[in-house]
Amino acid sequence: MLLVNPVWIWRLGFQLSFLATFGIVTMAKPLQTSLAFLPPKIAEIVAVPVAASVWTTPILLFQLGYFVPAALPLNILITPLLEVLSFGGMISAGVSLVLPPLGSGLAWGLAFPAHWLILIAQQFQQVPHIAIGQLGLWQVGLMYGGFGLIGWVPWGRRRSLWIGPFLVALLLIPALFVGQTRVQATVFESREGPVIVAQRPGYTTAIATTPADQVDHLLQPFFAKQGINHIDCPVFVPIGRTQTESLNHCSATTWYAQSPPILALEFAGQRWWIFWQIPDRNRPAPPLPLEQRPDVLVWPGSFFPDSWLDQLRPTTAIAVSPYGSDALRQTVERFNGQLWVTGEDGAVQWTPRMGFSATLNAMDANLR
């Protein structure tokens, strides 16, 4: 296949197909032997999906950052149905060449296992996944090396009870460490306005104009690679809201009853001001002493009133917009501020070590 199209080697579908087949060929028989206490057919049904899952899990975590705990039980459960459908389909196709009515009848009988297969898949579809975080390439290499030791080297096979827990620790310990030490804030673009995810050890804040379940769906790839399984503080800002009393907030957020309302986020020693409506040009900015001014200003749109920028003078300005106007750039440059435009720079991320940087390209960061 790679001789026909070598680019396929970078596609996740090809990688999974190759690794699943490789795992079944190399590991299914040894696993089946170790399950000798089970009836032979049941041992085979269990060994085949286990072998495929073992060899595909590292690449899935590397590419996607999460796994579905129910996937293995589901694969074991549907294996008999897949065998019936596969062999039944081949038999009905062969019979149809000789006796078409009989072949059609056999194919009609396969509707029942096919229906059961669909029902099982629909039931398991609602099972949540667990985000681990994106594995490093070194972890993937060590895990496959461990699989090779257990599967092909007698020394490694005899010590599988030690190598197995080591591989699990290799997977979990770095993920837990990163999850307990990561401090970062990321600004995404969406059609409705800014979407901001602020992460600190053991606590995640998500600010958006859509409910938390929709934010979780929109940002699922990002959350999976960050190892985020739960939003601790969802701040939902309905579009057009002009009153702040009923809006949910967390200890790190404060609403200023300005016109338009301003959401202030205190995060890692920085003060963020977040707008969902651009202030009126003719309305003056609130006079604030230097120590109360925002460090970061976020708003939707390609421009922002010059009078507000001159008064607030944020260190960093983030325009959630496809582009930034020349006048906006000139105004920000006038007080030596830093301007980011999500439509041009992609998702904008801040960390204590790196400061602000563009982390995703504009297409990946656009939640439209």
Side-chain angles (χ1 to χ4, degrees):
M1 294 176 64
L2 294 179
L3 293 177
V4 176
N5 190 349
V7 178
W8 283 345
I9 196 172
W10 303 113
R11 295 186 178 179
L12 181 59
F14 176 84
Q15 295 170 1
L16 293 175
S17 298
F18 171 80
L19 290 170
T21 304
F22 186 80
I24 292 172
V25 171
T26 60
M27 187 176 284
K29 283 296 182 182
L31 282 174
Q32 190 173 350
T33 302
S34 66
L35 297 173
F37 58 91
L38 295 175
K41 187 59 181 176
I42 296 180
E44 179 185 354
I45 290 174
V46 173
V48 170
V50 168
S53 297
V54 166
W55 278 87
T56 54
T57 296
I59 197 68
L60 279 173
L61 292 176
F62 176 71
Q63 295 280 14
L64 304 178
Y66 70 90
F67 74 97
V68 182
L72 181 56
L74 174 62
N75 287 333
I76 294 174
L77 187 61
I78 66 174
T79 295
L81 293 176
L82 292 175
E83 290 184 356
V84 171
L85 291 172
S86 299
F87 288 110
M90 289 187 290
I91 292 172
S92 65
V95 172
S96 296
L97 296 176
V98 182
L99 296 172
L102 180 58
S104 298
L106 292 174
W108 181 84
L110 296 175
F112 296 102
H115 181 65
W116 297 335
L117 179 64
I118 294 172
L119 287 178
I120 294 173
Q122 289 175 342
Q123 293 299 319
F124 276 83
Q125 188 178 10
Q126 305 303 321
V127 177
H129 64 264
I130 297 179
I132 298 294
Q134 190 174 23
L135 292 189
L137 195 58
W138 65 273
Q139 290 173 286
V140 175
L142 286 176
M143 292 186 75
Y144 281 127
F147 296 162
L149 282 176
I150 295 174
W152 307 320
V153 180
W155 178 90
R157 192 176 299 117
R158 291 193 300 269
R159 291 164 176 79
S160 59
L161 294 179
W162 294 92
I163 297 176
F166 169 77
L167 295 178
V168 174
L170 181 69
L171 172 67
L172 295 180
I173 291 177
L176 292 173
F177 175 78
V178 171
Q180 293 302 314
T181 57
R182 177 183 283 123
V183 177
Q184 68 180 29
T186 310
V187 181
F188 299 89
E189 178 184 2
S190 74
R191 182 176 297 146
E192 291 78 15
V195 175
I196 300 173
V197 179
Q199 301 165 251
R200 56 185 174 86
Y203 200 84
T204 300
T205 301
I207 304 171
T209 55
T210 53
D213 56 341
Q214 297 182 26
V215 171
D216 185 65
H217 175 72
L218 286 172
L219 295 177
Q220 181 178 352
F222 175 78
F223 285 165
K225 292 185 177 182
Q226 297 294 311
I228 298 174
N229 289 289
H230 175 69
I231 301 175
D232 301 282
C233 173
V235 180
F236 170 41
V237 187
I239 298 177
R241 173 77 72 171
T242 59
Q243 300 296 325
T244 63
E245 289 79 4
S246 62
L247 295 178
N248 56 314
H249 63 279
C250 306
S251 58
T253 60
T254 305
W255 283 99
Y256 292 142
Q258 300 289 328
S259 180
I262 303 169
L263 176 63
L265 170 67
E266 298 289 339
F267 180 74
Q270 288 191 325
R271 181 180 293 109
W272 293 52
W273 276 20
I274 306 160
F275 292 79
W276 273 267
Q277 300 174 27
I278 297 176
D280 189 341
R281 293 176 182 268
N282 300 319
R283 183 182 294 274
L288 295 172
L290 183 62
E291 65 273 9
Q292 295 183 11
R293 292 177 183 176
D295 301 293
V296 183
L297 206 63
V298 184
W299 72 88
S302 59
F303 73 96
F304 200 80
D306 293 352
S307 59
W308 281 65
L309 288 173
D310 285 332
Q311 174 66 32
L312 299 177
R313 294 179 174 269
T315 305
T316 304
I318 303 176
V320 180
S321 171
Y323 64 94
S325 65
D326 292 336
L328 174 64
R329 298 181 189 279
Q330 293 172 3
T331 303
V332 175
E333 289 174 359
R334 192 162 59 237
F335 56 83
N336 297 321
Q338 186 180 32
L339 176 65
W340 296 89
V341 181
T342 57
E344 300 173 359
D345 301 310
V348 179
Q349 189 171 88
W350 176 87
T351 62
R353 186 171 65 90
M354 299 294 295
F356 281 92
S357 61
T359 61
L360 302 172
N361 62 55
M363 183 173 294
D364 292 337
N366 194 345
L367 307 179
R368 294 181 183 274

